[in-house]
Amino acid sequence: MQMLSTFIKPMHREGIRFVAIFAAVTLGLFLISDVLGWIGVGLTVWCYYFFRDPERVTPEREGLIVSPADGIVSLIEPAVPPAELGLPDQPLTRVSVFMSVFNCHVNRLPVSGEITAIAYRPGKFLNASLDKASVDNERNSLAIRMEDGRSIAVVQIAGLVARRIVCFTEIGAKLATGERFGLIRFGSRLDVYLPEGVEPQVRIGQTMIAGETVLADLHLSDPA
């Protein structure tokens, strides 16, 4: 049973419709050709795996900011948060986590706090690993006010393949670190704008696990 749980993860409800479509198409492909049918089986399994929603063990020490997404740290640089969030117009350290089509795409809150703003903006579908994707691509931005009064911004960015950003929360909601707040379908990116003076504790190229990997520490000012 432990071996099975290692490979078979629960699926998020957002994926039920997509897996059903893939399975129906696969049945049709078997009527045409066994080879095409087995290709369909492989794609259906991949679709199920894409929408997997495994349980995560979130570190509980006060002041930790965790990664909101599975993937690879692709950018660490100063940038101004999205204007639609109403945050101060000054550069903050932005950490970008790029998700490939093989990563788990359920997004988790990086830090405990109250959702003070949610702003969706349509846009292009450039490769999410590019710097300009933060400005040009479709995105959904959240501002989170922490207990100490400071705010942190998290931005869901659609990628080259992604065509749907899903947000599960609403303004005024109070969530804990690691709680699920959204999902992006089929390849994308998450940007986290750290509070002023907070240094990231990760490096470009590092593999991240949503809800578990420590991204930054509010009590540390030294870089990684």
Side-chain angles (χ1 to χ4, degrees), residues 149-203:
R150 289 184 290 178
S151 292
I152 185 172
V154 181
V155 185
Q156 299 170 286
I157 301 173
L160 187 64
V161 182
R163 288 296 186 273
R164 179 76 170 116
I165 295 176
V166 183
C167 184
F168 308 140
T169 189
E170 58 185 15
I171 295 175
K174 295 181 179 180
L175 303 177
T177 304
E179 280 197 61
R180 301 166 179 83
F181 77 88
L183 179 149
I184 313 178
R185 295 173 186 162
F186 307 119
S188 42
R189 167 175 147 190
L190 263 289
D191 285 351
V192 178
Y193 292 82
L194 299 175
E196 185 178 4
V198 177
E199 292 287 342
Q201 299 301 307
V202 295
R203 294 190 181 277

Side-chain angles (χ1 to χ4, degrees), residues 43-167:
L43 292 174
T44 302
V45 172
W46 168 80
C47 186
Y48 173 89
Y49 191 65
F50 176 88
F51 285 102
R52 66 194 183 279
D53 185 17
E55 292 298 324
R56 296 288 164 82
V57 180
T58 301
E60 297 181 350
R61 183 164 66 78
E62 183 181 352
L64 294 182
I65 299 174
V66 301
S67 176
D70 286 17
I72 300 293
V73 177
S74 59
L75 291 170
I76 299 177
E77 60 186 3
V80 177
E84 56 265 28
L85 287 178
L87 298 177
D89 186 18
Q90 62 183 32
L92 299 172
T93 299
R94 180 178 70 196
V95 181
S96 301
V97 180
F98 175 73
M99 297 178 284
S100 76
V101 294
F102 299 105
N103 288 123
C104 174
H105 274 55
V106 175
N107 305 143
R108 295 172 179 267
L109 211 69
V111 67
S112 298
E114 179 182 353
I115 308 299
T116 57
I118 299 176
Y120 170 79
R121 201 203 73 168
K124 300 178 181 178
F125 297 97
L126 304 174
N127 189 326
S129 64
L130 300 177
D131 181 32
K132 60 182 179 180
S134 294
V135 177
D136 296 334
N137 279 25
E138 174 189 10
R139 69 187 184 218
N140 186 64
S141 307
L142 292 83
I144 307 159
R145 184 170 58 226
M146 299 178 289
E147 290 184 0
D148 62 6
R150 289 184 290 178
S151 292
I152 185 172
V154 181
V155 185
Q156 299 170 286
I157 301 173
L160 187 64
V161 182
R163 288 296 186 273
R164 179 76 170 116
I165 295 176
V166 183
C167 184

Side-chain angles (χ1 to χ4, degrees), residues 203-218:
R203 294 190 181 277
I204 292 177
Q206 183 172 339
T207 299
M208 311 298 284
I209 300 176
E212 292 190 358
T213 306
V214 174
L215 191 71
D217 189 333
L218 294 171

Side-chain angles (χ1 to χ4, degrees), residues 20-34 36-38 40-41 44:
I21 291 172
F22 272 68
V25 172
T26 296
L27 291 176
L29 291 175
F30 268 116
L31 297 177
I32 300 172
S33 165
D34 285 349
L36 292 177
W38 284 111
V41 169
T44 302

